[in-house]
Amino acid sequence: MPRPNNDLRADFIEALKEVSALMSTAYEQLGPVPDDHALAQAGLENGSEIVLDYVDHNEAGVAFEHLLYMINEPPLVVSDACKGILARIAKTLEMPFHSGNV
């Protein structure tokens, strides 16, 4: 199976570094996650694996949507640098993205 664009994959990895660190901190601060909490939703705790799996299976658009879900659902506050990476991913994929939405 062909690999996705290396620059695109590198951008996903770079964004995931920050998002995963923020997600880990959120889980650590919360302790046991109540069932009705935003962090209890499927695909957040192991979100990095899910995103990279989509990227590696040529589903970068779905990967990007999942990455945004990981940011918006808890919600997490990402840096301007991360927002720039997200904008670059969106441009590469020709998908809409507005940094005010993350």
Side-chain angles (χ1 to χ4, degrees):
M1 177 174 286
R3 299 285 297 180
N5 176 306
N6 286 337
D7 291 339
L8 180 62
R9 190 174 199 286
D11 282 344
F12 272 105
I13 289 170
E14 192 64 29
L16 283 167
K17 285 180 190 175
E18 180 172 332
V19 173
S20 295
L22 291 170
M23 190 73 68
S24 291
T25 299
Y27 279 106
E28 287 171 14
Q29 291 175 345
L30 184 61
V33 180
D35 289 342
D36 62 345
H37 195 278
L39 289 174
Q41 296 182 67
L44 291 179
E45 196 164 11
N46 63 337
S48 293
E49 296 166 22
I50 293 169
V51 168
L52 290 177
D53 189 53
Y54 280 131
V55 170
D56 290 340
H57 287 91
N58 296 313
E59 295 288 343
V62 178
F64 185 61
E65 290 173 353
H66 193 83
L67 179 56
L68 294 178
Y69 160 74
M70 290 172 62
I71 295 167
N72 290 322
E73 283 306 308
L76 302 177
V77 178
V78 297
S79 68
D80 288 340
C82 188
K83 288 178 184 178
I85 294 166
L86 295 171
R88 191 167 56 231
I89 292 170
K91 183 177 179 182
T92 300
L93 298 175
E94 298 179 357
M95 293 180 71
F97 173 73
H98 303 285
S99 63
N101 295 344
V102 293

